[in-house]
Each structure stands twice: as C-alpha cells, then as structure tokens.
Amino acid sequence: MVTVVLLVLVGGAAVLYLLDQDDSAPVATPSEPAPAARTDPPDVPASAAAAAPSPPAAPESSADPRFVKAGQCVRNAGPAGGKPKLLISACAPQTYEVLRRIDGATSGEKDAAAKCAKVDGYTNWYFFDSELDTLDFVLCLKQR
C-alpha cells in the first residue's frame, strides 16, 4: 500500500513538473549580420537593362468577397443558374457594385432580402452564413 501511494506521489510530481515547463517555440535569429542594402543603382550596360526581364508584379489583394467594402465591385464567377461565387473585381459592365455591407449574424435569403430592402437602388443581394455568426455578412448589390 505504501508503495502504491509513493508511486502516485512521484508520478503526480513528475506530471506537475512537465506541465510547468515553458513550451514556447524557439525563435530563429540570424547567425550573420544581414547584408547592407544598396542605395545606388548598379552599373548595368543599357543593352543588358533593356533585355532584363521585369520583376514579377506585386500580388494583388484577395478577391474573396469576405473582404469587400461598400463602393467596391464584385463579379459572379459561378456557373450560370448555379450557386454564385463572388470575386472582388474592377467596376465594369456585368459587375455588381456593393451599396452596403451588413456584418453580423444572418439566417439566410429572407433575412438578406429584408436587410437590403432598406437600401435605395439595390438590385441583388448576397449573403454568407457560416457556423461562426461573427463571420456572417450580407451584401446589398446594384447590377452595373
């Protein structure tokens, strides 16, 4: 009996010790100083500069409609007659201007239509309903 109690006490102490350890991830630090940035343009012959490929374009911001704001436009990249797949795009014909974005819980089509009914000039609505209500939103749209 004494042996069992002693084993439980030693095991509990070991568990407490292990739980008390700091599990923070190690931080990588450079082992050498970073090279100094060059501020003057490199000496490149004009013929080489003309033949050099241009640097890749900077990545564009996300086209996901979760990040769209009022005043921006979206286009439907989904199949005709199918579930819409909105992407943020430049405002042009056949796009939808976001007149109003309503963040917060939504319950679906009736809720989206009721919210957009209060927005002057809207022609269409779109809603995103996730399991997490804080991610839900309704877009009141005007077809261009």
Side-chain angles (χ1 to χ4, degrees), residues 11-39:
V15 169
L16 287 175
Y17 175 77
L18 291 174
L19 290 176
D20 193 40
Q21 296 298 310
D22 185 18
D23 289 335
S24 61
V27 177
T29 57
S31 59
E32 298 176 9
R38 189 174 174 163
T39 58

Side-chain angles (χ1 to χ4, degrees), residues 62-78 84-101 123-127 137-144:
S62 176
D64 192 311
R66 291 178 297 162
F67 306 109
V68 73
K69 298 174 184 163
Q72 291 183 300
C73 290
V74 293
R75 65 181 170 83
N76 184 4
K85 180 180 180 191
L86 296 188
L87 298 174
I88 298 174
S89 67
C91 293
Q94 305 303 314
T95 62
Y96 299 88
E97 180 181 354
V98 178
L99 298 178
R100 184 160 180 214
R101 177 189 174 102
T123 59
N124 301 79
W125 48 259
Y126 173 85
F127 71 94
F137 63 90
V138 173
L139 300 177
C140 303
L141 309 168
K142 178 180 179 181
Q143 187 169 11
R144 298 181 128 244

